[in-house]
């Protein structure tokens, strides 16, 4: 849920200037509609979105939407002129998790 929190935090606090969501739980009920209907307290300088390409291949009706939601979030952030990227990586939620998080942190700091 850390990746979900990273995306939610700028809506409720001014403490963060960027966000990294690596395999974030963006499937969480009503999160996408929340993003579309609320403004940031402080617009992030950058948002990095990352997901494993196998994560949406599940029978779980929530989890199978993760890739679609990530793509839609990326589109929302782009429309708000936020420097952002969405990367689809090989593997599932656990494959190279530390590497993908470090990659996201490096990207937002550039």
């Amino acid at each position: 849920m850390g990746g979900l929190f990273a995306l939610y935090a700028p809506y409720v606090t001014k403490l963060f200037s960027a966000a990294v969501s690596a395999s974030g739980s963006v499937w969480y009920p009503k999160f996408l509609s929340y993003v579309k209907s609320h403004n940031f307290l402080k617009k992030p300088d950058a948002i990095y979105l990352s997901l494993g390409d196998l994560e949406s291949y599940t029978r779980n009706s929530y989890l199978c939407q993760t890739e679609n939601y990530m793509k839609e979030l990326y589109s929302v952030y782009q429309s708000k002129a936020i420097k952002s990227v969405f990367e689809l990586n090989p593997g599932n939620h656990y494959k190279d998790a530390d590497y993908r998080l470090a990659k996201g942190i490096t990207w937002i700091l550039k």
Side-chain angles (χ1 to χ4, degrees), residues 14-72:
K14 296 179 180 181
L15 294 175
F16 303 100
S17 60
V20 174
S21 180
S23 293
S25 300
V26 299
W27 53 264
Y28 194 82
K30 300 183 182 178
F31 179 68
L32 185 59
S33 62
Y34 179 88
V35 166
K36 291 179 176 182
S37 64
H38 289 79
N39 293 315
F40 295 109
L41 285 184
K42 177 183 176 186
K43 182 179 165 184
D45 297 329
I47 297 177
Y48 177 89
L49 304 169
S50 170
L51 189 67
D53 63 0
L54 299 178
E55 292 190 56
S56 293
Y57 291 96
T58 177
R59 289 185 219 158
N60 182 295
S61 61
Y62 288 108
L63 298 178
C64 71
Q65 293 300 314
T66 304
E67 184 176 340
N68 294 333
Y69 290 168
M70 278 281 193
K71 288 177 179 176
E72 197 159 349

Side-chain angles (χ1 to χ4, degrees), residues 68-105:
N68 294 333
Y69 290 168
M70 278 281 193
K71 288 177 179 176
E72 197 159 349
L73 286 168
Y74 173 67
S75 178
V76 168
Y77 300 142
Q78 288 282 293
S79 73
K80 295 182 181 218
I82 298 170
K83 176 183 155 189
S84 54
V85 66
F86 169 62
E87 292 188 343
L88 199 57
N89 301 281
N92 63 17
H93 182 76
Y94 301 102
K95 181 149 185 349
D96 300 324
D98 292 343
Y99 170 74
R100 290 192 293 132
L101 187 57
K103 190 175 173 185
I105 293 168

